[in-house]
Amino acid sequence: MIGVLFLIILFFGINQAIFSFFKKRHSFFSVSKMNLLYLYHTFFYGVYTWYAYNNPSDSKNYYQELTIHSGTWLELFGTDTLFINFLSYPFYSIGFNYDMLMFTFAWLGYLGFVYAYLFFREKIPIKIKVFKKIDFLTLVLFFPNMHFWTASLGKGSAIFLGLMMFTYSIVQPSKRLLLLFLGSAIIFYIRPHVFMFVAVGAVLGFMSGRQKIPLWQKLMIFVVMLGSLVLLQDKILGVMNLQNSDNLIEDFQAASEKNAEDLSKAGSGVDMSTYPLPLKLFTFWFRPLFVDAPNLLGLITSVENLIYLLLFLKIIRKDFIKFIKKSPALVKMSFVIFFTASLAMTFVMSNLGIIMRQKTMVMYFIFFVIYYYMAEKKYKKLIRLRDMKRKREAELVVQTP
């Protein structure tokens, strides 16, 4: 406990240095909001730690693997689970116990929220209220389920950091190249298949965005991302044991059915194999929804899922397709990442517990799309009101004798 208290204070101090750096570069940066978010995330570290001590948790398995490792640090370098052990080992080697490692990774997850905040506010300066008086960005940043699954030793916290680092750095890739590389590396080494979705989304977004992006930047994104996919294809396909496949489509379907069957045997399993595609996507995005909540955590998540659904309904409009077609590169990138990743995961996820955890990787991308859509509509409305006001003022001037 003393070690965790020390880390809470230490990371709080490090946060202030990070905030000072960002405050100099972004006038909108709110130190007070980020400090409040740190305390909020720390609370969920406590919640998850209690949960882990009373339920099966991958975090205990990660720590156990560290205690029995007798080789060198570099021997742990690899993809998937190995990479989490690789990240953990330096801290474990200097004496961090289980609780301290848990909080260290919780802090990494917290930094993901800082980068998400930067990404949203840098690209969308307009504030939007939802449900009449709640600030959209504040609501998104404080969703409890997002914090719960990113506040522990494991893949969730680290890959969330990688994804948000990537999205923030891709805004200005030439100026944030190191951060872009680091975020991409974290994503790839934890979940190679997610890196594929991110790479495809970035390429499609930047190639079709409405704003004028220098040709050299488009070529850089295209070459780097597609080159990475070609070089790393064996590791990406290796996630589903398809690296030696002669027929990717058939073998992927077979592997997906086998994985879904295994997951559906769990206590919170749901048989999605016979669902039509729209219902599969609905299940991945918005379930559990009260009636199928597997436990207390599921009931709490159901409230959040209901809010997701209500936010999602805001883009079910006739003009949304037109908006996507004419949207900037980052909006298209976010939409492609969200949809392609969701589509792939629906074929292999048949367990509500795993669905609750996995979708934290992609939901922020659709939140960005929704936020941008609503902000653009508000901006156009403000422009119309301004023009109407100027027109009335001009008419009054003409009518004045």
Side-chain angles (χ1 to χ4, degrees):
M1 181 59 72
I2 294 177
V4 172
L5 291 175
F6 169 76
L7 288 181
I8 291 174
I9 297 171
L10 174 65
F11 288 140
F12 180 82
I14 295 174
N15 289 345
Q16 306 318 302
I18 295 173
F19 297 163
S20 177
F21 173 84
F22 285 129
K23 186 67 176 177
K24 292 177 182 178
R25 285 156 179 78
H26 304 289
S27 59
F28 62 77
F29 192 88
S30 174
V31 174
S32 59
K33 177 173 285 190
M34 292 299 99
N35 279 328
L36 178 61
L37 192 66
Y38 177 70
L39 296 177
Y40 185 75
H41 194 71
T42 299
F43 167 76
F44 276 94
Y45 153 77
V47 173
Y48 192 95
T49 300
W50 173 85
Y51 174 85
Y53 274 116
N54 293 277
N55 296 275
S57 172
D58 290 341
S59 60
K60 289 183 282 191
N61 296 331
Y62 287 121
Y63 186 76
Q64 181 64 28
E65 289 172 4
L66 291 174
T67 62
I68 62 177
H69 178 67
S70 58
T72 64
W73 179 35
L74 290 179
E75 289 176 353
L76 293 173
F77 186 76
T79 58
D80 203 55
T81 299
L82 267 179
F83 190 70
I84 301 302
N85 294 332
F86 176 78
L87 291 178
S88 308
Y89 186 80
F91 301 102
Y92 173 77
S93 64
I94 62 173
F96 278 33
N97 58 26
Y98 172 72
D99 293 327
M100 295 174 72
L101 273 175
M102 286 278 282
F103 188 78
T104 301
F105 271 74
W107 181 65
L108 295 179
Y110 164 74
L111 292 180
F113 288 97
V114 175
Y115 281 111
Y117 168 72
L118 287 166
F119 173 60
F120 275 66
R121 285 288 283 117
E122 184 176 20
K123 298 308 300 179
I124 312 175
I126 298 177
K127 292 186 177 181
I128 295 294
K129 299 289 185 181
V130 290
F131 310 123
K132 295 186 178 180
K133 59 180 180 180
I134 301 176
D135 179 68
F136 185 100
L137 183 54
T138 300
L139 175 66
V140 167
L141 287 174
F142 285 84
F143 275 137
N145 192 54
M146 294 291 183
H147 287 269
F148 181 81
W149 294 113
T150 57
S152 66
L153 170 60
K155 298 174 185 176
S157 54
I159 196 170
F160 182 68
L161 171 61
L163 286 166
M164 295 303 105
M165 288 173 70
F166 177 90
T167 53
Y168 170 69
S169 58
I170 202 71
V171 174
Q172 298 185 39
S174 59
K175 294 182 179 180
R176 302 167 187 171
L177 192 59
L178 181 60
L179 193 66
L180 178 62
F181 174 79
L182 182 58
S184 299
I186 292 173
I187 298 168
F188 170 76
Y189 279 104
I190 296 176
R191 295 196 185 279
H193 57 295
V194 175
F195 175 77
M196 178 182 68
F197 303 135
V198 169
V200 171
V203 170
L204 292 179
F206 274 81
M207 290 299 159
S208 59
R210 74 183 180 192
Q211 73 269 51
K212 293 182 179 179
I213 298 174
L215 179 61
W216 70 269
Q217 284 193 16
K218 287 187 176 183
L219 289 175
M220 181 182 73
I221 295 295
F222 181 80
V223 171
V224 171
M225 291 303 171
L226 285 191
S228 299
L229 288 176
V230 172
L231 292 173
L232 304 173
Q233 59 179 319
D234 285 344
K235 287 188 177 292
I236 293 172
L237 294 175
V239 174
M240 297 287 287
N241 294 317
L242 299 176
Q243 61 269 43
N244 299 315
S245 173
D246 294 323
N247 191 323
L248 283 176
I249 296 178
E250 289 185 3
D251 290 346
F252 174 77
Q253 289 177 336
S256 298
E257 290 174 2
K258 176 65 168 59
N259 196 21
E261 181 181 349
D262 293 341
L263 290 174
S264 66
K265 294 177 182 177
S268 57
V270 51
D271 184 8
M272 292 169 54
S273 60
T274 59
Y275 286 7
L277 181 58
L279 188 53
K280 285 184 177 181
L281 290 171
F282 182 90
T283 298
F284 180 71
W285 294 334
F286 308 122
R287 289 176 66 185
L289 267 179
F290 301 107
V291 293
D292 54 7
N295 47 39
L296 178 61
L297 175 62
L299 287 173
I300 296 172
T301 303
S302 295
V303 177
E304 189 168 321
N305 283 338
L306 178 60
I307 299 176
Y308 292 175
L309 180 58
L310 294 174
L311 292 177
F312 191 84
L313 290 175
K314 293 183 179 296
I315 60 174
I316 307 300
R317 301 288 188 273
K318 291 181 180 180
D319 63 345
F320 180 71
I321 300 299
K322 183 178 179 181
F323 161 77
I324 284 293
K325 288 181 178 179
K326 296 184 178 181
S327 62
L330 290 169
V331 175
K332 288 184 176 178
M333 180 197 77
S334 298
F335 186 76
V336 171
I337 293 173
F338 170 76
F339 190 77
T340 55
S342 298
L343 190 63
M345 289 181 184
T346 58
F347 287 97
V348 295
M349 297 292 162
S350 297
N351 180 279
L352 290 178
I354 294 177
I355 285 173
M356 287 190 292
R357 182 171 61 205
Q358 295 291 333
K359 69 182 176 185
T360 58
M361 293 188 297
V362 299
M363 294 307 294
Y364 265 46
F365 292 104
I366 194 61
F367 294 153
F368 178 75
V369 174
I370 295 169
Y371 191 9
Y372 202 102
Y373 171 75
M374 295 176 67
E376 185 173 280
K377 293 190 73 172
K378 180 178 180 180
Y379 177 75
K380 289 180 177 179
K381 181 179 180 181
L382 291 174
I383 293 297
R384 286 197 301 270
L385 291 174
R386 185 199 64 183
D387 292 344
M388 290 173 61
K389 181 179 179 182
R390 288 179 177 177
K391 184 178 180 180
R392 285 197 298 268
E393 290 175 349
E395 290 174 348
L396 289 173
V397 171
V398 172
Q399 293 173 5
T400 303

